């Protein structure tokens, strides 16, 4: 999951980025509207967390841009404005949530996770397959499978979005630190490892290649 943090208070954006990185989110950080627009134009975000008052304009201008790029991107506005009209304005502009400063970090994270529809636990259970992202463990029929690093993250991302086809670009944005600096080939390598290290020995199939469109989680078949 990739989050763009737009906040001109440098200590605050550092704290936000560090806290979110610790929770395994990929983050990009910027301090101005202009830089935020640039990031939105080159990368896909699951969520944009933006301050309202930025040195070169209003963060709420990013709502329309982020939604236009991808309607799935959630936008959460942070603001020192504590009047109800500002909150209503942000929500009317399309913000998914509005958080007043000062805020409690744990509450902010809980609200971000609610936006990203995580629910109470990160553990993904699909019949006899259990994926635990926090512990980087996969258990199949009670036996642990050795799959770590990027292949593990690719599998987790696809399992989490198993109702949809996920493109290579979306996988790169969600999982790689600097998606522009790697070739899409790294996805094929990761998928291959999932098939070799997990599917083959277990005689199951977890990921289907959808020609020209990407990949889809397909375990159990027909589900
Ligand atoms: Ca500000």
């Amino acid at each position: 999951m990739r989050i763009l943090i737009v906040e001109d208070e440098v200590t605050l954006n550092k704290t936000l980025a560090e806290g979110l990185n610790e929770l395994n989110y990929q983050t990009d950080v910027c301090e101005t509207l202009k830089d935020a627009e640039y990031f939105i134009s080159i990368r896909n975000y699951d969520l944009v967390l933006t301050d309202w008052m930025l040195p070169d304009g209003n963060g709420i201008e990013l709502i329309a841009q982020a939604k236009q790029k991808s309607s799935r991107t959630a936008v959460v506005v942070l603001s020192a404005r504590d009047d109800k009209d500002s909150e209503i304005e942000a929500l009317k502009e399309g913000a998914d949530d509005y958080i007043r400063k000062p805020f409690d970090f744990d509450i902010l994270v809980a609200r971000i996770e609610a936006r990203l529809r995580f629910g109470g636990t990160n553990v993904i259970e699909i019949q006899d397959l259990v994926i635990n992202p926090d512990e980087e463990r996969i258990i199949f029929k009670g036996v642990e499978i050795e799959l770590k690093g990027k292949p593990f993250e690719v599998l987790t991302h696809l399992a989490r979005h198993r109702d949809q086809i996920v493109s290579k670009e979306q996988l790169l944005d969600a999982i790689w630190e600097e998606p522009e600096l790697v070739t899409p080939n790294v996805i094929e390598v990761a998928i291959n490892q999932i098939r070799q290290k997990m599917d083959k020995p277990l005689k199951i199939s977890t990921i289907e290649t959808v020609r020209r469109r990407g990949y889809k989680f397909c375990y159990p078949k027909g589900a």
Side-chain angles (χ1 to χ4, degrees):
M1 294 267 175
R2 181 173 288 269
I3 297 177
L4 175 65
I5 301 165
V6 191
E7 168 60 66
D8 58 311
E9 282 172 44
V10 180
T11 44
L12 178 56
N13 77 25
K14 262 208 185 119
T15 309
L16 288 170
E18 284 169 9
L20 291 168
N21 291 342
E22 221 158 89
L23 295 164
N24 290 323
Y25 291 102
Q26 301 290 350
T27 56
D28 293 316
V29 175
C30 62
E31 292 159 32
T32 63
L33 194 61
K34 204 173 150 233
D35 288 349
E37 288 171 345
Y38 173 70
F39 273 117
I40 290 170
S41 73
I42 60 161
R43 289 182 179 172
N44 294 306
Y45 292 96
D46 296 289
L47 189 136
V48 174
L49 181 63
T50 182
D51 183 29
W52 184 313
M53 285 173 278
L54 296 168
D56 55 344
N58 291 330
I60 57 167
E61 285 177 33
L62 295 171
I63 300 169
Q65 289 177 44
K67 300 278 178 188
Q68 197 181 9
K69 176 89 188 292
S70 164
S71 57
R72 273 209 294 272
T73 303
V75 181
V76 174
V77 175
L78 287 175
S79 180
R81 298 179 175 214
D82 60 358
D83 60 297
K84 74 175 189 185
D85 288 345
S86 296
E87 182 163 350
I88 290 168
E89 189 184 340
L91 295 170
K92 277 192 172 162
E93 288 291 324
D96 296 280
D97 203 355
Y98 185 89
I99 297 171
R100 292 179 189 195
K101 293 179 179 176
F103 54 82
D104 178 276
F105 185 74
D106 294 333
I107 293 175
L108 175 78
V109 168
R111 287 172 79 159
I112 285 175
E113 296 197 329
R115 276 305 129 202
L116 297 172
R117 281 187 227 111
F118 266 137
T121 169
N122 285 334
V123 175
I124 303 163
E125 267 193 83
I126 304 161
Q127 293 192 359
D128 34 21
L129 176 68
V130 181
I131 303 171
N132 186 331
D134 300 329
E135 296 177 4
E136 206 182 32
R137 293 177 79 195
I138 301 172
I139 312 285
F140 184 76
K141 293 187 175 163
V143 178
E144 184 162 359
I145 310 304
E146 270 307 310
L147 190 74
K148 307 282 180 193
K150 296 301 188 212
F152 177 89
E153 290 182 53
V154 168
L155 182 78
T156 304
H157 190 84
L158 290 169
R160 198 172 266 152
H161 298 89
R162 58 188 176 277
D163 55 333
Q164 65 201 54
I165 296 168
V166 181
S167 69
K168 283 185 183 175
E169 197 191 16
Q170 287 169 325
L171 282 169
L172 285 173
D173 279 333
I175 296 164
W176 270 264
E177 205 82 49
E178 302 278 353
E180 303 79 19
L181 304 183
V182 293
T183 59
N185 179 37
V186 293
I187 303 281
E188 281 156 42
V189 172
I191 299 276
N192 219 355
Q193 287 202 30
I194 296 167
R195 289 176 175 156
Q196 293 303 319
K197 290 187 173 173
M198 182 168 140
D199 293 8
K200 213 170 161 187
L202 300 177
K203 296 189 173 68
I204 59 172
S205 173
T206 54
I207 294 165
E208 181 186 346
T209 304
V210 184
R211 258 189 98 200
R212 292 202 187 88
R213 295 182 61 196
Y215 299 96
K216 192 173 188 302
F217 193 81
C218 65
Y219 180 82
K221 260 266 177 288

